[in-house]
Amino acid sequence: MRGNVLNYSSAFLRFLSYVKPYWIFTLIVCLSLVVETVSDLTVPWVIGVMLVDQVILSRTLELLGVVLAILVGVILAREVFAFSTEYFLELLTQKIAHKLRTDLYDHLQYLPVSFFDQSKIGDLLARISNDVDKVESVVKSIIVDAGSALVMLMGTIVFLFSLNITLTLVILPTLPLIA
C-alpha cells in the first residue's frame, strides 16, 4: 500500500513538471472555469430572485429591462468564458502532449539496439500514441469535471446561504450522503 502511494505521488510530481512550464495556461483555464461555473449559477438566481420576485410578483415593469440586460450579460459572459476554458484547455493539453511525445522520442533514441530487437515497433508506437492520448483526456477531465464540480458545489452553498440560512443549514448535512 505504501509503495503505491509513493509511486502515485512521484508520478504526480513528475506530471506536474510537464504542467509547470505552461502555468499561465493552467491559470487562465482555472479562472475561466470559475467564471463560467459561477455564471451558470447566476442565471437561475437572476431569473428566480430578480425576474420573478422583483418584476413578476411585485408587478413592476420598470426593472424588466435591467433584469433582462443582466440576464443577457451573464449568458454572454458564460459563453465567452466557456470558449476561453475550452480553447486554453486544448492549448494546454496539446503542449503537454507534445512535450511528453518529444521526451519519449528522445528517450527512445538512447535505448540500445537490443531493446528494439526484443520489442515490436508497432507496440511501441501504439503505446506512445495511446498513452499520451490517455494522459491528455485525464488532464481534461480532471480540470473540467473536478474543477467545475468543486466550484459548482461551493457556489451553490454560497447562493443557498444568501437565500435562506436556516434551510441551508438543514440541507448541508445531507450533502455527503448525496455525494
Side-chain angles (χ1 to χ4, degrees), residues 16-57:
L16 284 181
S17 72
Y18 284 94
V19 177
K20 186 178 178 183
Y22 313 112
W23 67 270
I24 192 73
F25 295 123
T26 308
L27 180 66
I28 292 170
V29 167
C30 291
L31 291 176
S32 294
L33 186 66
V34 166
V35 173
E36 176 189 353
T37 306
V38 168
S39 298
D40 276 342
L41 290 169
T42 305
V43 170
W45 183 81
V46 169
I47 291 172
V49 173
M50 296 182 80
L51 183 63
V52 173
D53 290 349
Q54 295 179 1
V55 174
I56 296 173
L57 293 179

Side-chain angles (χ1 to χ4, degrees), residues 5-178:
V5 171
L6 291 176
N7 289 341
Y8 290 138
S9 62
S10 66
F12 182 70
L13 290 175
R14 191 167 180 197
F15 173 73
L16 284 181
S17 72
Y18 284 94
V19 177
K20 186 178 178 183
Y22 313 112
W23 67 270
I24 192 73
F25 295 123
T26 308
L27 180 66
I28 292 170
V29 167
C30 291
L31 291 176
S32 294
L33 186 66
V34 166
V35 173
E36 176 189 353
T37 306
V38 168
S39 298
D40 276 342
L41 290 169
T42 305
V43 170
W45 183 81
V46 169
I47 291 172
V49 173
M50 296 182 80
L51 183 63
V52 173
D53 290 349
Q54 295 179 1
V55 174
I56 296 173
L57 293 179
S58 66
R59 295 186 176 152
T60 56
L61 295 177
E62 294 88 31
L63 293 177
L64 183 61
V66 173
V67 171
L68 291 177
I70 291 171
L71 189 59
V72 168
V74 168
I75 290 171
L76 284 175
R78 187 233 178 272
E79 292 305 315
V80 166
F81 283 100
F83 173 79
S84 174
T85 301
E86 287 192 33
Y87 178 81
F88 286 103
L89 182 62
E90 190 64 34
L91 198 60
L92 173 68
T93 56
Q94 289 301 317
K95 287 189 175 290
I96 291 170
H98 178 265
K99 180 73 171 134
L100 272 169
R101 285 188 177 106
T102 304
D103 287 353
L104 284 168
Y105 178 78
D106 289 344
H107 178 72
L108 287 173
Q109 292 296 310
Y110 293 103
L111 290 175
V113 176
S114 61
F115 172 80
F116 295 102
D117 289 338
Q118 298 167 356
S119 303
K120 296 178 182 175
I121 300 301
D123 289 343
L124 287 174
L125 290 174
R127 177 163 290 262
I128 288 171
S129 178
N130 294 337
D131 287 357
V132 172
D133 288 343
K134 287 179 184 174
V135 167
E136 229 181 301
S137 67
V138 165
V139 169
K140 285 180 182 179
S141 68
I142 285 174
I143 290 176
V144 172
D145 296 341
S148 179
L150 183 63
V151 173
M152 185 71 76
L153 176 66
M154 291 170 32
T156 302
I157 291 171
V158 168
F159 280 137
L160 285 173
F161 271 114
S162 72
L163 292 175
N164 190 329
I165 294 173
T166 308
L167 185 58
T168 304
L169 290 174
V170 170
I171 292 172
L172 216 50
T174 64
L175 286 180
L177 295 174
I178 294 171

